[in-house]
Amino acid sequence: TIAEETHARLYLLNAAHNITKDQKENGTTYISIMEENLSNLSKGLSCTIALWTPVSVLITLPFGMDKLT
């Protein structure tokens, strides 16, 4: 795969459309899934994320980037 050839690390995003019974019993919520997505986006984009509220975020872009494309 491209990831293997480039030694890239894959970070998955969860659409939160389907969780297992075990996940539900262990307290998985829509918010916890989205927080994990934010963490993975932050790692993948090599930036920091400050959470203001459960639904609004601030993404600090690396130096030299003026937008996400």
Side-chain angles (χ1 to χ4, degrees):
T1 66
I2 293 172
E4 290 171 342
E5 290 178 22
T6 60
H7 305 286
R9 185 160 183 186
L10 299 176
Y11 295 99
L12 301 179
L13 298 180
N14 186 335
H17 65 281
N18 192 13
I19 63 171
T20 67
K21 182 179 178 182
D22 288 340
Q23 288 173 312
K24 186 174 181 179
E25 289 173 354
N26 288 326
T28 297
T29 64
Y30 178 80
I31 297 297
S32 67
I33 292 169
M34 292 301 113
E35 288 173 338
E36 182 68 26
N37 284 344
L38 281 173
S39 175
N40 286 341
L41 283 168
S42 178
K43 292 174 196 172
L45 295 171
S46 299
C47 62
T48 59
I49 295 176
L51 203 55
W52 290 343
T53 70
V55 293
S56 63
V57 298
L58 167 68
I59 299 177
T60 305
L61 299 172
F63 180 76
M65 288 183 64
D66 60 350
K67 63 181 177 177
L68 294 175
T69 55

